[in-house]
Amino acid sequence: SKDRKDFTVIGDVVNLANRIEKLSKQGKFSKIVFSNHVEEKMSSALLFITGAFLTTYLIELLIVWLFLRKKCKGIWFDVLLINLLTWPLVQAFYTGTENSFALLEVGAIVVEGVTLKYLSKVRWRRVALAAIIANIVSALVGLSGLFLF
């Protein structure tokens, strides 16, 4: 009919997408198949995320250790457990929503303080101070890192 239109897409990107789709249907590979370009971007993002988490963990471990070193054993594990709980949540809420960075950090301070108090059995004042300073310093380092990249 005269109203029918024919749309054809051509080019390197279309050919690459077609090859990737065929590979995913063959079953020789995992269900997720992606190009080298995506792999390069994902590996650099994963390296950045890992570095950011380790930086946060080490900063907060040092500060919490300075405050609580004589009060509890195994503080490295407690801080790791706390950061594995709060760090991904703060990152997800900050990047996925319009939430205030300061509000999320206050939430992290409260959750980390309560968790640290529960795990360490140290007085509230000491735990609260450690959580506040650790989060402020790690947030400032994180923010300065964002401006560098």
Side-chain angles (χ1 to χ4, degrees), residues 2 10 24 28 32-33 50 79 81 87 93 121 128-129 133:
K2 60 183 177 180
I10 60 173
S24 68
K28 294 179 183 177
I32 300 173
V33 180
T50 304
V79 174
L81 186 65
W87 192 85
F93 282 116
K121 310 281 194 246
L129 198 56
I133 292 174

Side-chain angles (χ1 to χ4, degrees), residues 89-129:
L89 292 173
V90 169
Q91 300 305 313
F93 282 116
Y94 183 65
T95 57
T97 63
E98 297 295 322
N99 290 319
S100 162
F101 182 74
L103 181 63
L104 289 171
E105 283 299 318
V106 168
I109 289 169
V110 170
V111 170
E112 289 181 12
V114 169
T115 310
L116 192 58
K117 169 70 176 140
Y118 175 75
L119 293 173
S120 67
K121 310 281 194 246
V122 177
R123 289 189 354 226
W124 271 111
R125 191 174 129 214
R126 210 174 180 101
V127 168
L129 198 56

